[in-house]
Amino acid sequence: MGPLQIFRLALKALRRNLLRSFLTALGIIIGVAAVIAMVSIGEGAKQQVEASFASMGTNLLIVMPGSSMSGGARGGFGSQPTLTRDDLKAISTELTMVDAAAPDLRTGAQLQSEEQNWATSVHGTTPSFFRIRKWNAARGATLTDSDIDSGAKVVVLGATVAEKLFGANAEALGQLVRIKGVPFQVVGVLERKGQSANGQDNDDTALVPLSTFLSRLSPALGAFLPGPILVSAVSGEAVPRAQKQVTDLLRERHRIAVGADDDFNIRNLAEVASAQQQGADTLSSLLASIAAVSLLVGGIGIMNIMLVSVTERTREIGIRMAVGATPGQVLAQFLSEALTLSLLGGLIGVGAGVLIAQQLSAGFGWPLLIRTDVIFIATAFSGLVGVGFGLYPALKASRMDPITALRFE
Amino acid sequence: MALLELRDVTKVYRMGDVDVRALDGVSVQIERGEFVAIMGASGSGKSTMMNILGCLDRPTTGEYLLDGQSVASKSRAELAGLRNRAIGFVFQSFNLLSRTSALENVELPLLYAGVSSGAEREKRATGALTRVGLGERVDHLPNQLSGGQQQRVAIARALVNKPPLLLADEPTGALDSKTSVEVMQLLSDLSHEGMTVVLVTHEPDMAAWARRVLVMKDGKLVSDAKQQPVKGAA
Ligand SMILES: Nc1ncnc2c1ncn2[C@@H]1O[C@H](COP(=O)(O)OP(=O)(O)O)[C@@H](O)[C@H]1O
Ligand SMILES: [Mg+2]
């Protein structure tokens, strides 16, 4: 008997009890669908985290002003301005491991064009900012040193803001935008960058020169910068040394005694990224193991029904043996029934899982990554479950004594 | 050389603490082409002997030679092969697969014999069904056939691989006398075509078709006589 004939025999037997076969396969269907849906969503989340950190650059440090929390009831980082424009200059010029440094001051503001208005976060910064974040202008230019020196009333818009204020197709360059009532000229529109790691729209932004920001939009106390400084190290490997240099420099400049707390805090984006990635990994493997357990439960269902089926069909087994079926052929018959059940269940489960993943991702706005290797592994695993759990019932059938089987009522 | 030979065969079933000697030292030879009837009271060991002859069961002691070869040393798979190619078995209770057409029932031994062409199987199974007079009913399910017709499907299944030996354990036991005669006529015809036929029956009317009658009692062979078959020579 060839494999094709055995498969046909299996299909026929399964069709004979169609509802039961479907209910048995349902365990595998749900298991595989769960695997596909959960792993696709888990992988999607992982990929998004990876992509957004890759876009931000892994050699980024964020220097936050403010005292540490360790000395009792003090404000959090960023609550007190402790960084100055001179600190910024020192960091960007004096340190060997630092490639560039830029302030990242922010204020929420209503932007108005002739026709539209749009609330967004306005950044006050320097040209280095664009270098650090690797943000480039799609049209026009980014900010220049002379914009900073002269306190020019110019603005670079993110793609979303440009679209909201001037429409999808209109030219924003050269137009006037009022920010807190002050007219700014649009000199550049940034390339579209998409969502950030925490789901924010990176394109919903507007950038103005630091000097203009401080004088027109968000006046600061003296020389203090009311916001963090972004620092990029010369390379990914140089990040820890750059962090050390910045710490030493600022402690010296702020005259902090040995043993006293920093009045600033440095965040290492690579660390944040790897922590987030680890989180996504854990989520992924947690989802995968839940899904694997449900597959296993499906396998037990198959074993259960196959055992019932072998007992019910004892007489059939006796008849087949009497006319010449070898133990191996009987084994193959029942094993292939279990395998067919689980593989068909697996295939239906793949379809259902992809559908569910797409529905969930559309409904909740979750990112999605359907990997063909996951589909392949899930299907192969369901086949393995079928063989694994079908083996015992099939062995039981093949070991029957023909006479006893024929006498079975 | 005899086609079948039992040498001092015993079969002991253990029922709790007592041993039931279903066969108790049976020795017999059956030549090719013979038409043998085995008679005896219920429980005398006829079916036990048939099951051993049919390679469905093995003796507890003694030897069974099929075509000169001892069966004792053969594996389960080898015995299955013998049942498939060398022996056709007909049961009192037909033992057809339910919800399976006559044709597919008859194709079963061909499937296990490795006839992979579906067309070939169908042709040979249809031939066997035609031989037993059911050429028109190949697509019927067992429960759409009368008892006599079901038994003829079973005979077709036993014939389809053209084995040299046909074993029938009370094939007419569940049939009325008219269809019994039809089935006996069929067995008699097969015997005349050269097939070796061994038949178990407790009805003297049926045994009368055979050319040799064995009588069993309490697991022993108590009589072995040749006779002129009264019917069937036609
Ligand atoms: N599987 C078995 N287990 C125990 N005893 C059995 C079994 N098969 C047959 N017997 C016993 O063996 C004896 C012969 O049975 P059997 O060959 O079926 O008789 P017959 O076919 O002549 O009526 C009986 O006493 C019967 O009860
Ligand atoms: Mg009997």
Side-chain angles (χ1 to χ4, degrees):
Chain A
M1 242 190 342
L4 194 70
Q5 271 154 1
I6 293 177
F7 176 68
R8 280 219 198 101
L9 213 60
L11 271 187
K12 207 188 217 166
L14 296 177
R15 230 183 291 139
R16 193 158 280 172
N17 269 311
L18 201 56
L19 182 62
R20 183 206 276 186
S21 300
F22 174 72
L23 290 175
T24 308
L26 201 56
I28 295 288
I29 293 175
I30 291 172
V32 171
V35 168
I36 300 291
M38 290 187 166
V39 172
S40 296
I41 287 167
E43 288 294 312
K46 216 166 101 182
Q47 194 200 34
Q48 191 190 35
V49 169
E50 276 167 21
S52 56
F53 279 109
S55 79
M56 260 167 123
T58 48
N59 47 0
L60 196 63
L61 293 170
I62 301 172
V63 185
M64 309 283 287
S67 57
S68 100
M69 291 291 280
S70 61
R74 292 198 233 165
F77 296 119
S79 60
Q80 284 172 304
T82 57
L83 302 172
T84 64
R85 296 182 76 157
D86 290 338
D87 288 340
L88 171 64
K89 194 179 269 170
I91 291 171
S92 52
T93 54
E94 291 174 22
L95 301 178
T96 53
M97 290 296 147
V98 168
D99 176 57
D104 188 12
L105 311 185
R106 294 184 196 194
T107 184
Q110 192 77 15
L111 273 61
Q112 292 167 301
S113 67
E114 298 240 317
E115 268 99 48
Q116 300 293 331
N117 62 77
W118 181 250
T120 189
S121 155
V122 177
H123 297 242
T125 190
T126 60
S128 297
F129 182 89
F130 299 93
R131 175 185 170 91
I132 294 169
R133 298 298 309 266
K134 302 187 182 77
W135 285 5
N136 300 311
R139 294 195 304 279
T142 57
L143 301 176
T144 64
D145 284 324
S146 68
D147 290 336
I148 311 296
D149 296 342
S150 64
K153 286 184 274 184
V154 293
V155 63
V156 176
L157 299 180
T160 301
V161 176
E163 194 180 307
K164 294 293 179 190
L165 290 179
F166 301 104
N169 302 314
E171 181 57 85
L173 280 188
Q175 304 261 30
L176 280 188
V177 171
R178 284 180 181 276
I179 305 174
K180 290 189 177 175
V182 182
F184 284 76
Q185 190 179 24
V186 178
V187 293
V189 177
L190 295 173
E191 287 172 352
R192 195 171 280 285
K193 294 166 296 291
Q195 282 192 356
S196 74
N198 39 27
Q200 280 174 345
D201 181 0
N202 269 330
D203 302 310
D204 189 2
T205 191
L207 302 106
V208 301
L210 176 66
S211 48
T212 324
F213 183 91
L214 289 174
S215 62
R216 301 282 180 166
L217 300 181
S218 181
L221 303 161
F224 287 112
L225 292 172
I229 295 173
L230 301 185
V231 177
S232 67
V234 291
S235 70
E237 297 81 66
V239 168
R241 277 176 290 160
Q243 185 168 355
K244 173 90 171 50
Q245 284 185 345
V246 172
T247 306
D248 292 345
L249 179 78
L250 289 178
R251 284 183 71 90
E252 191 193 313
R253 289 180 57 83
H254 295 185
R255 300 201 169 76
I256 296 169
V258 176
D261 292 336
D262 294 343
D263 63 353
F264 56 90
N265 175 264
I266 304 181
R267 289 188 195 170
N268 179 339
L269 256 210
E271 274 167 20
V272 178
S274 84
Q276 283 219 23
Q277 227 152 334
Q278 248 169 25
D281 270 342
T282 313
L283 181 75
S284 234
S285 40
L286 189 75
L287 292 178
S289 43
I290 292 171
V293 166
S294 61
L295 246 184
L296 228 57
V297 172
I300 293 168
I302 287 193
M303 179 141 148
N304 184 16
I305 290 300
M306 288 310 294
L307 280 173
V308 170
S309 169
V310 165
T311 306
E312 272 182 1
R313 289 155 69 191
T314 299
R315 213 177 150 79
E316 174 195 332
I317 295 165
I319 292 171
R320 289 183 184 276
M321 286 180 160
V323 302
T326 63
Q329 285 168 326
V330 173
L331 181 87
Q333 179 187 345
F334 282 91
L335 205 54
S336 62
E337 279 181 31
L339 185 67
T340 306
L341 259 185
S342 60
L343 271 184
L344 284 183
L347 288 176
I348 297 173
V350 164
V354 168
L355 223 69
I356 290 168
Q358 281 172 346
Q359 291 302 313
L360 284 179
S361 101
F364 293 96
W366 293 340
L368 188 66
L369 179 63
I370 294 169
R371 285 172 42 175
T372 46
D373 58 341
V374 169
I375 288 180
F376 183 77
I377 290 169
T379 312
F381 192 66
S382 66
L384 209 68
V385 163
V387 172
F389 286 94
L391 191 62
Y392 174 67
L395 272 176
K396 208 176 141 177
S398 75
R399 285 180 184 153
M400 277 182 186
D401 172 53
I403 293 291
T404 319
L406 280 171
R407 288 229 182 90
F408 187 82
E409 292 302 323
Chain B
M1 186 178 37
L3 177 64
L4 306 176
E5 181 174 2
L6 294 179
R7 284 185 191 160
D8 199 20
V9 163
T10 65
K11 180 74 191 183
V12 181
Y13 292 110
R14 209 172 162 88
M15 295 290 285
D17 288 343
V18 283
D19 286 346
V20 180
R21 299 183 81 78
L23 289 181
D24 192 2
V26 174
S27 297
V28 69
Q29 294 192 353
I30 296 172
E31 304 294 329
R32 277 176 195 282
E34 278 197 271
F35 186 178
V36 182
I38 302 174
M39 298 195 67
S42 178
S44 58
K46 307 179 298 289
S47 291
T48 305
M49 180 165 156
M50 286 295 265
N51 291 341
I52 289 173
L53 291 177
C55 295
L56 286 163
D57 208 350
R58 296 186 209 240
T60 309
T61 64
E63 235 186 325
Y64 169 36
L65 303 174
L66 175 60
D67 207 9
Q69 289 207 356
S70 174
V71 162
S73 60
K74 296 204 185 296
S75 69
R76 279 167 49 101
E78 286 171 324
L79 290 182
L82 285 177
R83 291 196 293 271
N84 185 244
R85 290 181 312 274
I87 302 162
F89 212 114
V90 179
F91 302 88
Q92 178 179 353
S93 54
F94 320 138
N95 275 335
L96 299 176
L97 290 184
S98 59
R99 295 199 277 173
T100 305
S101 73
L103 186 71
E104 284 176 290
N105 264 292
V106 177
E107 279 187 29
L108 219 50
L110 297 170
L111 201 64
Y112 291 118
V115 179
S116 54
S117 149
E120 172 73 10
R121 282 201 305 272
E122 189 175 329
K123 191 179 127 226
R124 283 166 65 176
T126 309
L129 280 166
T130 308
R131 172 71 188 80
V132 301
L134 287 176
E136 310 290 297
R137 293 195 160 74
V138 294
D139 291 326
H140 287 225
L141 300 177
N143 61 9
Q144 297 168 330
L145 295 169
S146 72
Q149 288 169 333
Q150 287 186 57
Q151 194 59 297
R152 280 191 278 162
V153 173
I155 293 172
R157 183 180 64 188
L159 294 178
V160 74
N161 258 339
K162 303 203 186 314
L165 175 64
L166 186 72
L167 302 174
D169 190 351
E170 303 202 39
T172 61
L175 305 179
D176 61 43
S177 53
K178 182 172 164 288
T179 46
S180 292
V181 169
E182 287 169 15
V183 165
M184 287 312 297
Q185 183 67 56
L186 190 55
L187 295 182
S188 174
D189 292 349
L190 291 167
S191 159
H192 279 102
E193 288 165 21
M195 212 173 196
T196 308
V197 179
V198 179
L199 161 80
V200 164
T201 179
H202 53 247
E203 295 170 75
D205 281 1
M206 302 300 140
W209 291 76
R211 290 191 291 275
R212 181 182 172 189
V213 180
L214 305 178
V215 180
M216 310 244 345
K217 189 170 184 244
D218 297 335
K220 293 189 171 70
L221 209 55
V222 293
S223 157
D224 180 354
K226 304 249 158 148
Q227 67 175 19
Q228 260 317 309
V230 288
K231 302 177 214 171

